[in-house]
Amino acid sequence: MKKKYLLAPGPTPVPPEVLSVMSEPVIHHRSPEFVPILKDVLEGLKWLFQTKNTVMILTSSGTGGMEAAVTNFLSPGDKAVCIRGGKFGERWAEICNAYGVVPVNIDVPWGEAVKPDSVRAALEKDPSIKAVYVQASETCTAVAHPVREIAEIVRKRENTILVVDAITALGVVDLPVDEWGIDICVTGSQKALMLPPGAAFISVSDKAWRFNESAKCPRFYFNLKKEKAKAETGQTNFTSPVAMIIGLRKVLEMMKQEGLKQIFARHAKLAQATREAFRALGLRLLAAESPSSAVTGVYLPDGIDGGAFNKKLRDHYGVTIAGGQDKLKGKIIRVAHLGYADVLDVINAVASVERGLREFGYSFELGAGLRAAEKILFES
């Protein structure tokens, strides 16, 4: 028998109690029975996003939320800063290009965070820029961008909005949407929200809604104005992902029981333990200066192919982690510690990586990573 362990940064494991409620008989999304369920979820999402604004639910992956964050607020010919520090930062620019929005790209070396002064300089150089698009956590490079500092720059400009992809950040680190002045915040179901893939969630500030009034980009399914109007009546604009919303109600209940501060502290501790474990094994961190608390990326030793390494862990040990994308393909591994994750998930991840490194001929002191992780997890 081989037990399987999902330790990738999305999809992430779903708690058994959430799977249980999601397996109950399906109810109709326009029935009176569904209205209070959706109402509970919408209120819970406000709590999670730390916002007074309506949080809309889209039946899509997180990329659908990203697309909606472009098409609902900009027009063809508008300019938008796109922080390109990884595949998902590049996605912002790709979406803009698809709708005729002109991306003003700030290219950041993979593994590094954007410098807020770069954003300030771009906005000062061209005051006509209408939006800044950034990742809170760039999943493919395991980098955390300085969202708070960028928000301080953007919120002073009445004609510019800040849009944050928080798909692997919301529910992992503190992102107080209203307090910081994040105009649009997007997340997805399959990360810290501990659900299967298939739903995106998006909050919009009053400032951003003013941009919606003049936005000319085409949109139909991802029409947030209609989505907001429906949400205020206890419905979604199109067919609701009923099982997902029922599961989310349970997730939010679990998260409230733990508390936001405790959730953030748990993720920080798991991330620190994972990083120190890999350092103890002599592995070089991908994001050494500004690491994400959702996922840790490390370079593999010379001569070890990341694809073969991940295949060994998956096929022989039942452990699924992530590899590198694009220019990092075959060079790195990424281990997640977000959502339904605790100390033993980190122990399992470190032990599995140690086992794989030994089988691939890398020389190190067996157990060094585990000791480093345990020192943080069990002694601090």
Side-chain angles (χ1 to χ4, degrees):
M1 183 183 74
K2 178 168 40 179
K3 188 174 181 179
K4 294 184 178 181
Y5 301 89
L6 183 58
L7 302 174
T12 61
V14 180
E17 52 267 58
V18 176
L19 289 171
S20 177
V21 298
M22 291 181 70
S23 69
E24 294 174 359
V26 175
I27 61 176
H28 197 276
H29 64 290
R30 303 298 188 202
S31 67
E33 184 181 3
F34 184 65
V35 172
I37 296 173
L38 182 59
K39 182 179 179 181
D40 286 349
V41 166
L42 291 174
E43 285 302 312
L45 287 170
K46 288 182 180 181
W47 169 83
L48 179 62
F49 278 71
Q50 301 181 67
T51 182
K52 65 176 177 55
N53 299 304
T54 300
V55 179
M56 289 148 286
I57 301 171
L58 305 176
T59 307
S60 74
S61 68
T63 302
M66 293 174 71
E67 181 168 321
V70 173
T71 60
N72 283 266
F73 305 99
L74 299 180
S75 302
D78 285 347
K79 296 178 183 178
V81 166
C82 297
I83 310 300
R84 301 200 310 173
K87 287 294 291 182
F88 299 101
E90 291 174 356
R91 186 166 296 176
W92 280 128
E94 291 165 356
I95 295 170
C96 286
N97 279 322
Y99 287 95
V101 174
V102 181
V104 178
N105 297 323
I106 298 178
D107 290 323
V108 183
W110 287 30
E112 296 181 16
V114 68
K115 291 179 172 55
D117 283 345
S118 298
V119 179
R120 181 183 287 107
L123 296 176
E124 289 177 350
K125 181 178 179 181
D126 189 349
S128 70
I129 290 171
K130 287 198 171 181
V132 174
Y133 291 96
V134 66
Q135 272 63 37
S137 169
E138 175 58 73
T139 316
C140 80
T141 63
V143 164
H145 285 299
V147 171
R148 184 173 190 170
E149 290 84 351
I150 296 171
E152 289 175 356
I153 295 167
V154 177
R155 72 188 304 172
K156 299 172 184 176
R157 292 166 165 79
E158 281 301 311
N159 296 318
T160 309
I161 53 174
L162 174 63
V163 185
V164 176
D165 164 5
I167 293 171
T168 52
L170 196 82
V172 175
V173 296
D174 195 12
L175 280 175
V177 166
D178 288 357
E179 180 184 333
W180 286 4
I182 298 171
D183 294 299
I184 302 169
C185 186
V186 180
T187 196
S189 58
Q190 76 275 24
K191 310 287 186 175
L193 269 64
M194 303 181 285
L195 292 164
F201 311 93
I202 182 167
S203 71
V204 179
S205 72
D206 291 340
K207 178 182 176 182
W209 280 120
R210 292 197 297 272
F211 282 60
N212 174 262
E213 293 172 5
S214 59
K216 300 287 194 299
C217 282
R219 52 194 177 273
F220 176 75
Y221 186 74
F222 296 127
N223 188 320
L224 295 184
K225 186 175 182 180
K226 290 184 177 180
E227 199 66 61
K228 180 175 183 286
K230 279 289 188 179
E232 290 170 352
T233 69
Q235 297 287 344
T236 56
N237 193 28
F238 296 100
T239 304
S240 306
V242 173
M244 193 81 75
I245 290 170
I246 290 172
L248 180 54
R249 183 167 67 165
K250 185 65 177 179
V251 165
L252 291 166
E253 176 188 315
M254 294 168 63
M255 295 180 83
K256 286 180 178 180
Q257 286 176 353
E258 185 175 3
L260 283 179
K261 288 184 178 179
Q262 290 75 18
I263 289 171
F264 303 148
R266 169 169 57 87
H267 282 96
K269 188 172 186 177
L270 298 181
Q272 183 188 3
T274 305
R275 292 193 294 267
E276 292 307 317
F278 289 153
R279 283 194 180 104
L281 295 174
L283 302 179
R284 181 163 62 98
L285 293 178
L286 176 59
E289 299 301 323
S290 185
S292 167
S293 289
V295 57
T296 295
V298 291
Y299 288 96
L300 286 169
D302 292 341
I304 299 181
D305 175 72
F309 187 89
N310 284 0
K311 188 175 187 300
K312 168 68 80 172
L313 264 61
R314 183 185 65 243
D315 295 349
H316 292 263
Y317 313 147
V319 175
T320 297
I321 61 175
Q325 296 175 290
D326 202 336
K327 65 185 75 175
L328 294 176
K329 189 172 183 179
K331 298 178 182 179
I332 67 163
I333 56 172
R334 292 176 296 141
V335 174
H337 29 71
L338 77 162
Y340 190 49
D342 66 7
V343 295
L344 293 181
D345 290 300
V346 170
I347 295 299
N348 183 17
V350 174
S352 299
V353 170
E354 285 199 7
R355 186 176 178 184
L357 290 172
R358 176 59 63 92
E359 291 208 20
F360 275 82
Y362 177 61
S363 180
F364 66 98
E365 182 186 356
L366 194 65
L370 286 170
R371 285 195 297 275
E374 289 176 345
K375 185 174 181 61
I376 292 166
L377 295 172
F378 301 134
E379 294 182 14
S380 63

mmCIF file of all heavy atoms in Angstrom, residues 331-356:
data_model
loop_
_atom_site.group_PDB
_atom_site.id
_atom_site.type_symbol
_atom_site.label_atom_id
_atom_site.label_comp_id
_atom_site.label_asym_id
_atom_site.label_seq_id
_atom_site.Cartn_x
_atom_site.Cartn_y
_atom_site.Cartn_z
ATOM 1 N N LYS A 331 15.293 22.879 -12.534
ATOM 2 C CA LYS A 331 16.347 23.407 -11.669
ATOM 3 C C LYS A 331 15.945 23.470 -10.204
ATOM 4 O O LYS A 331 16.816 23.453 -9.326
ATOM 5 C CB LYS A 331 16.742 24.809 -12.134
ATOM 6 C CG LYS A 331 17.309 24.858 -13.540
ATOM 7 C CD LYS A 331 17.630 26.299 -13.934
ATOM 8 C CE LYS A 331 18.165 26.377 -15.360
ATOM 9 N NZ LYS A 331 18.452 27.787 -15.758
ATOM 10 N N ILE A 332 14.650 23.585 -9.946
ATOM 11 C CA ILE A 332 14.203 23.796 -8.563
ATOM 12 C C ILE A 332 13.101 22.809 -8.200
ATOM 13 O O ILE A 332 12.504 22.157 -9.059
ATOM 14 C CB ILE A 332 13.673 25.224 -8.341
ATOM 15 C CG1 ILE A 332 12.369 25.444 -9.134
ATOM 16 C CG2 ILE A 332 14.726 26.258 -8.700
ATOM 17 C CD1 ILE A 332 11.550 26.636 -8.690
ATOM 18 N N ILE A 333 12.835 22.744 -6.907
ATOM 19 C CA ILE A 333 11.627 22.112 -6.394
ATOM 20 C C ILE A 333 10.926 23.130 -5.513
ATOM 21 O O ILE A 333 11.549 24.044 -4.967
ATOM 22 C CB ILE A 333 11.916 20.822 -5.587
ATOM 23 C CG1 ILE A 333 12.885 21.117 -4.433
ATOM 24 C CG2 ILE A 333 12.443 19.726 -6.502
ATOM 25 C CD1 ILE A 333 13.076 19.943 -3.485
ATOM 26 N N ARG A 334 9.601 22.979 -5.399
ATOM 27 C CA ARG A 334 8.809 23.857 -4.553
ATOM 28 C C ARG A 334 7.940 23.009 -3.632
ATOM 29 O O ARG A 334 7.243 22.107 -4.087
ATOM 30 C CB ARG A 334 7.933 24.781 -5.398
ATOM 31 C CG ARG A 334 8.720 25.807 -6.203
ATOM 32 C CD ARG A 334 7.822 26.638 -7.096
ATOM 33 N NE ARG A 334 7.170 25.836 -8.126
ATOM 34 C CZ ARG A 334 5.919 26.003 -8.538
ATOM 35 N NH1 ARG A 334 5.147 26.918 -7.979
ATOM 36 N NH2 ARG A 334 5.434 25.241 -9.492
ATOM 37 N N VAL A 335 8.001 23.312 -2.359
ATOM 38 C CA VAL A 335 7.229 22.587 -1.345
ATOM 39 C C VAL A 335 6.252 23.558 -0.698
ATOM 40 O O VAL A 335 6.648 24.630 -0.221
ATOM 41 C CB VAL A 335 8.154 21.972 -0.277
ATOM 42 C CG1 VAL A 335 7.332 21.345 0.844
ATOM 43 C CG2 VAL A 335 9.079 20.930 -0.906
ATOM 44 N N ALA A 336 4.987 23.197 -0.679
ATOM 45 C CA ALA A 336 3.956 24.068 -0.114
ATOM 46 C C ALA A 336 3.741 23.792 1.366
ATOM 47 O O ALA A 336 3.956 22.680 1.845
ATOM 48 C CB ALA A 336 2.649 23.884 -0.872
ATOM 49 N N HIS A 337 3.308 24.828 2.051
ATOM 50 C CA HIS A 337 2.947 24.710 3.469
ATOM 51 C C HIS A 337 1.833 25.695 3.741
ATOM 52 O O HIS A 337 1.957 26.592 4.578
ATOM 53 C CB HIS A 337 4.159 24.964 4.360
ATOM 54 C CG HIS A 337 5.183 25.892 3.775
ATOM 55 N ND1 HIS A 337 4.977 27.242 3.628
ATOM 56 C CD2 HIS A 337 6.401 25.638 3.250
ATOM 57 C CE1 HIS A 337 6.046 27.786 3.063
ATOM 58 N NE2 HIS A 337 6.925 26.837 2.809
ATOM 59 N N LEU A 338 0.730 25.535 3.000
ATOM 60 C CA LEU A 338 -0.394 26.460 3.153
ATOM 61 C C LEU A 338 -1.699 25.699 3.216
ATOM 62 O O LEU A 338 -1.792 24.560 2.767
ATOM 63 C CB LEU A 338 -0.455 27.465 1.997
ATOM 64 C CG LEU A 338 -1.009 27.023 0.644
ATOM 65 C CD1 LEU A 338 -1.394 28.226 -0.201
ATOM 66 C CD2 LEU A 338 -0.004 26.178 -0.118
ATOM 67 N N GLY A 339 -2.703 26.363 3.791
ATOM 68 C CA GLY A 339 -4.023 25.759 3.861
ATOM 69 C C GLY A 339 -4.101 24.687 4.925
ATOM 70 O O GLY A 339 -3.766 24.910 6.096
ATOM 71 N N TYR A 340 -4.513 23.504 4.513
ATOM 72 C CA TYR A 340 -4.675 22.373 5.432
ATOM 73 C C TYR A 340 -3.310 21.724 5.671
ATOM 74 O O TYR A 340 -3.010 20.639 5.199
ATOM 75 C CB TYR A 340 -5.669 21.380 4.830
ATOM 76 C CG TYR A 340 -6.118 20.268 5.752
ATOM 77 C CD1 TYR A 340 -6.561 20.532 7.045
ATOM 78 C CD2 TYR A 340 -6.129 18.940 5.308
ATOM 79 C CE1 TYR A 340 -6.976 19.505 7.873
ATOM 80 C CE2 TYR A 340 -6.555 17.903 6.121
ATOM 81 C CZ TYR A 340 -6.974 18.185 7.413
ATOM 82 O OH TYR A 340 -7.393 17.165 8.230
ATOM 83 N N ALA A 341 -2.449 22.451 6.392
ATOM 84 C CA ALA A 341 -1.073 22.015 6.619
ATOM 85 C C ALA A 341 -0.709 22.223 8.076
ATOM 86 O O ALA A 341 -1.095 23.216 8.692
ATOM 87 C CB ALA A 341 -0.116 22.804 5.727
ATOM 88 N N ASP A 342 0.058 21.268 8.623
ATOM 89 C CA ASP A 342 0.520 21.399 9.994
ATOM 90 C C ASP A 342 1.971 20.937 10.089
ATOM 91 O O ASP A 342 2.633 20.706 9.072
ATOM 92 C CB ASP A 342 -0.386 20.637 10.961
ATOM 93 C CG ASP A 342 -0.352 19.113 10.754
ATOM 94 O OD1 ASP A 342 0.469 18.622 9.950
ATOM 95 O OD2 ASP A 342 -1.146 18.419 11.410
ATOM 96 N N VAL A 343 2.467 20.802 11.308
ATOM 97 C CA VAL A 343 3.889 20.512 11.512
ATOM 98 C C VAL A 343 4.310 19.194 10.876
ATOM 99 O O VAL A 343 5.416 19.074 10.335
ATOM 100 C CB VAL A 343 4.253 20.534 13.010
ATOM 101 C CG1 VAL A 343 4.077 21.925 13.588
ATOM 102 C CG2 VAL A 343 3.432 19.525 13.802
ATOM 103 N N LEU A 344 3.459 18.191 10.926
ATOM 104 C CA LEU A 344 3.849 16.895 10.378
ATOM 105 C C LEU A 344 3.893 16.898 8.857
ATOM 106 O O LEU A 344 4.590 16.086 8.253
ATOM 107 C CB LEU A 344 2.911 15.801 10.895
ATOM 108 C CG LEU A 344 3.028 15.519 12.404
ATOM 109 C CD1 LEU A 344 2.077 14.405 12.822
ATOM 110 C CD2 LEU A 344 4.463 15.137 12.783
ATOM 111 N N ASP A 345 3.180 17.805 8.231
ATOM 112 C CA ASP A 345 3.308 17.946 6.780
ATOM 113 C C ASP A 345 4.707 18.439 6.427
ATOM 114 O O ASP A 345 5.308 17.987 5.438
ATOM 115 C CB ASP A 345 2.252 18.916 6.244
ATOM 116 C CG ASP A 345 0.852 18.340 6.306
ATOM 117 O OD1 ASP A 345 0.606 17.305 5.676
ATOM 118 O OD2 ASP A 345 0.017 18.927 6.996
ATOM 119 N N VAL A 346 5.233 19.374 7.208
ATOM 120 C CA VAL A 346 6.591 19.847 6.966
ATOM 121 C C VAL A 346 7.599 18.737 7.221
ATOM 122 O O VAL A 346 8.537 18.536 6.438
ATOM 123 C CB VAL A 346 6.893 21.076 7.849
ATOM 124 C CG1 VAL A 346 8.380 21.431 7.795
ATOM 125 C CG2 VAL A 346 6.052 22.259 7.405
ATOM 126 N N ILE A 347 7.411 18.000 8.301
ATOM 127 C CA ILE A 347 8.316 16.881 8.606
ATOM 128 C C ILE A 347 8.314 15.869 7.463
ATOM 129 O O ILE A 347 9.370 15.389 7.023
ATOM 130 C CB ILE A 347 7.903 16.201 9.929
ATOM 131 C CG1 ILE A 347 8.084 17.160 11.106
ATOM 132 C CG2 ILE A 347 8.690 14.919 10.145
ATOM 133 C CD1 ILE A 347 9.496 17.633 11.318
ATOM 134 N N ASN A 348 7.132 15.551 6.956
ATOM 135 C CA ASN A 348 7.025 14.604 5.846
ATOM 136 C C ASN A 348 7.710 15.147 4.601
ATOM 137 O O ASN A 348 8.437 14.435 3.905
ATOM 138 C CB ASN A 348 5.551 14.326 5.551
ATOM 139 C CG ASN A 348 5.349 13.299 4.462
ATOM 140 O OD1 ASN A 348 6.250 12.546 4.120
ATOM 141 N ND2 ASN A 348 4.153 13.258 3.902
ATOM 142 N N ALA A 349 7.504 16.435 4.315
ATOM 143 C CA ALA A 349 8.112 17.034 3.131
ATOM 144 C C ALA A 349 9.630 17.001 3.221
ATOM 145 O O ALA A 349 10.318 16.615 2.255
ATOM 146 C CB ALA A 349 7.621 18.473 2.978
ATOM 147 N N VAL A 350 10.167 17.395 4.361
ATOM 148 C CA VAL A 350 11.625 17.424 4.522
ATOM 149 C C VAL A 350 12.198 16.009 4.449
ATOM 150 O O VAL A 350 13.216 15.772 3.782
ATOM 151 C CB VAL A 350 12.004 18.114 5.845
ATOM 152 C CG1 VAL A 350 13.509 18.009 6.099
ATOM 153 C CG2 VAL A 350 11.563 19.570 5.833
ATOM 154 N N ALA A 351 11.543 15.056 5.133
ATOM 155 C CA ALA A 351 12.025 13.670 5.098
ATOM 156 C C ALA A 351 11.994 13.116 3.677
ATOM 157 O O ALA A 351 12.915 12.394 3.254
ATOM 158 C CB ALA A 351 11.170 12.805 6.021
ATOM 159 N N SER A 352 10.966 13.449 2.924
ATOM 160 C CA SER A 352 10.852 12.957 1.553
ATOM 161 C C SER A 352 11.946 13.546 0.670
ATOM 162 O O SER A 352 12.539 12.845 -0.156
ATOM 163 C CB SER A 352 9.476 13.307 0.983
ATOM 164 O OG SER A 352 8.448 12.710 1.741
ATOM 165 N N VAL A 353 12.214 14.840 0.834
ATOM 166 C CA VAL A 353 13.277 15.465 0.049
ATOM 167 C C VAL A 353 14.632 14.874 0.432
ATOM 168 O O VAL A 353 15.470 14.595 -0.444
ATOM 169 C CB VAL A 353 13.260 16.994 0.243
ATOM 170 C CG1 VAL A 353 14.507 17.644 -0.363
ATOM 171 C CG2 VAL A 353 12.001 17.589 -0.389
ATOM 172 N N GLU A 354 14.857 14.660 1.718
ATOM 173 C CA GLU A 354 16.112 14.024 2.140
ATOM 174 C C GLU A 354 16.261 12.646 1.486
ATOM 175 O O GLU A 354 17.342 12.296 0.978
ATOM 176 C CB GLU A 354 16.154 13.887 3.663
ATOM 177 C CG GLU A 354 16.432 15.174 4.405
ATOM 178 C CD GLU A 354 16.914 14.937 5.820
ATOM 179 O OE1 GLU A 354 17.163 13.761 6.192
ATOM 180 O OE2 GLU A 354 17.069 15.926 6.575
ATOM 181 N N ARG A 355 15.209 11.879 1.508
ATOM 182 C CA ARG A 355 15.254 10.528 0.924
ATOM 183 C C ARG A 355 15.556 10.603 -0.568
ATOM 184 O O ARG A 355 16.367 9.839 -1.092
ATOM 185 C CB ARG A 355 13.913 9.835 1.171
ATOM 186 C CG ARG A 355 13.872 8.380 0.752
ATOM 187 C CD ARG A 355 12.539 7.767 1.132
ATOM 188 N NE ARG A 355 12.447 6.373 0.713
ATOM 189 C CZ ARG A 355 11.356 5.629 0.851
ATOM 190 N NH1 ARG A 355 10.272 6.169 1.386
ATOM 191 N NH2 ARG A 355 11.331 4.371 0.461
ATOM 192 N N GLY A 356 14.910 11.535 -1.253
ATOM 193 C CA GLY A 356 15.156 11.680 -2.680
ATOM 194 C C GLY A 356 16.576 12.110 -2.975
ATOM 195 O O GLY A 356 17.226 11.589 -3.895
#
